[in-house]
């Protein structure tokens, strides 16, 4: 089976690339810029995508490409819309022509975060930011295309690559005696390696016919403050983590106060066990320390 992974320079794409080492299927990794083992592909160009799918005889597209700068999207909606809406539409339409399956990564930001219970897949989206709206519209473009698809909504994704909360806290707690972190936003940290494992498991288990939208994060619930404390302690840093409110740090985009996703459906349909976020954080810290100078 031939698999195309877009957005391969991002944290999930790079994690998938790591996991694919020695993989039985042929994987093609692409992004808007070339890199080691990564080809250039403009996923907003229908012609470019269709030509790539034909040349590589692609069976499965894993779309990790996304505009994820939540605050940046508020002032650059055009770029956010190009990557989060146009690209999924292009990939979905190309998938239809090729007969390929599209696995697309979406986000908890399609909800406004005002609930008091975990969000299920059939809860009505109500995005409160440009980022959330464009990701929701991207989902709708995939559904309207008629392609075979699996959409995974995830939240609080982190890894040993790129820009994310784990790496930010690792750096700041190393050299700051005190650090304030928001304690009134609740969700579930999700290690990119766990999501990558699910994606390849779905492909390997020949469950690509399980069309639909699924929620996937690690298990458990915490605040950003709790997550920061766990990172600080896990790394053996001595920074004093102090809780604060969202209102203490005004931002351009509205952040969901409650981003917990219900994972009942993904566990039942794909028969998976999901690790607790703290267990996965320990694994991430070990992976980060082992990676050392490679990063």
């Amino acid at each position: 089976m031939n698999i195309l992974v877009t957005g391969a320079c991002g944290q999930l794409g790079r994690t998938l690339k790591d996991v694919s080492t020695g993989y039985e299927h042929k994987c093609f990794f692409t992004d808007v810029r070339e890199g080691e083992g990564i080809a250039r592909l403009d996923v907003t160009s229908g012609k470019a995508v269709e030509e790539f799918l034909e040349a590589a005889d692609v069976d499965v597209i894993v779309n990790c490409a996304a505009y994820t700068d939540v605050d940046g999207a508020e002032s650059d909606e055009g770029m956010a819309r190009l990557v989060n809406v146009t690209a999924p539409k292009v990939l979905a339409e190309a998938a239809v022509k090729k007969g390929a399956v599209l696995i697309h990564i979406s986000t908890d930001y399609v909800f406004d975060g005002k609930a008091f219970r975990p969000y299920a897949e059939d809860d009505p989206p109500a995005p409160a930011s440009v980022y959330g709206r464009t990701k929701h519209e991207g989902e709708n473009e995939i559904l309207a295309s008629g392609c075979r698809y699996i959409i995974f909504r995830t939240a609080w994704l982190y890894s040993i690559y790129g820009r994310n909360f784990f790496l930010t806290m690792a750096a700041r707690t190393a050299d700051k005696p005190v650090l304030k972190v928001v304690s009134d936003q609740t969700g579930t940290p999700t290690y990119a390696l766990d999501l990558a494992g699910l994606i390849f498991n779905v492909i390997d288990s020949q469950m690509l016919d399980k069309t639909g939208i699924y929620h996937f994060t690690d298990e458990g619930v915490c605040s950003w403050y709790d997550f920061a404390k766990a990172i600080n302690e896990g790394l053996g840093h001595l920074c004093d983590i102090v809780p604060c409110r969202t209102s203490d740090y005004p931002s351009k985009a509205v952040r969901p106060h409650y981003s917990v996703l219900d994972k009942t459906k993904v566990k039942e349909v794909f028969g998976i066990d999901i690790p607790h976020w703290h267990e996965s954080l320990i694994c991430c810290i070990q992976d980060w320390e082992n990676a050392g100078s490679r990063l």
Side-chain angles (χ1 to χ4, degrees), residues 24-230:
E24 63 176 306
H25 301 299
K26 175 67 175 177
C27 294
F28 300 89
F29 295 92
T30 68
D31 208 302
V32 290
R33 60 186 184 279
E34 293 182 2
E36 184 177 350
I38 299 174
R40 185 184 184 281
L41 177 62
D42 179 2
V43 291
T44 67
S45 167
K47 182 175 183 293
V49 170
E50 289 177 19
E51 289 178 351
F52 194 101
L53 296 188
E54 284 300 326
D57 194 20
V58 170
D59 302 293
V60 181
I61 304 167
V62 181
N63 183 34
C64 302
Y67 186 100
T68 57
D69 183 347
V70 178
D71 287 327
E74 295 296 315
S75 54
D76 194 2
E77 183 170 348
M79 182 57 69
R81 186 166 297 281
L82 184 66
V83 182
N84 294 343
V85 183
T86 301
K89 175 181 171 64
V90 166
L91 291 167
E93 291 176 348
V96 171
K97 294 179 180 179
K98 185 66 178 66
V101 177
L102 174 60
I103 298 177
H104 176 72
I105 310 303
S106 193
T107 175
D108 59 302
Y109 272 72
V110 301
F111 302 111
D112 59 17
K114 295 180 180 179
F116 294 96
R117 59 164 179 78
Y119 284 98
E121 288 83 354
D122 57 0
D123 283 328
S129 64
V130 170
Y131 170 65
R133 287 197 298 274
T134 57
K135 290 297 288 184
H136 180 226
E137 289 176 32
E139 291 182 359
N140 287 338
E141 291 291 355
I142 292 171
L143 270 61
S145 73
C147 77
R148 292 184 294 157
Y149 70 90
I150 293 175
I151 295 173
F152 289 121
R153 290 176 180 152
T154 193
W156 292 26
L157 197 67
Y158 70 95
S159 71
I160 63 175
Y161 298 117
R163 296 173 58 189
N164 58 71
F165 190 81
F166 166 73
L167 292 178
T168 298
M169 289 300 104
R172 291 184 179 178
T173 58
D175 58 14
K176 289 184 179 295
V178 180
L179 191 64
K180 290 184 178 181
V181 180
V182 170
S183 63
D184 58 358
Q185 293 178 27
T186 304
T188 307
T190 306
Y191 188 22
L193 187 62
D194 295 331
L195 179 53
L198 169 63
I199 291 168
F200 278 146
N201 180 57
V202 169
I203 296 171
D204 293 341
S205 301
Q206 299 183 6
M207 291 188 285
L208 292 167
D209 61 333
K210 306 298 184 181
T211 296
I213 297 175
Y214 299 89
H215 289 172
F216 178 86
T217 65
D218 285 330
E219 294 282 19
V221 177
C222 70
S223 68
W224 288 116
Y225 163 76
D226 297 320
F227 190 25
K229 288 273 287 185

Side-chain angles (χ1 to χ4, degrees), residues 5 8 23 63 68 110 161 169 196-197 218 238 240 255 271-272 277:
V5 178
Y23 193 44
N63 183 34
T68 57
V110 301
Y161 298 117
M169 289 300 104
D218 285 330
L238 301 178
D240 182 18
R255 262 66 174 176
I272 59 171
W277 70 263

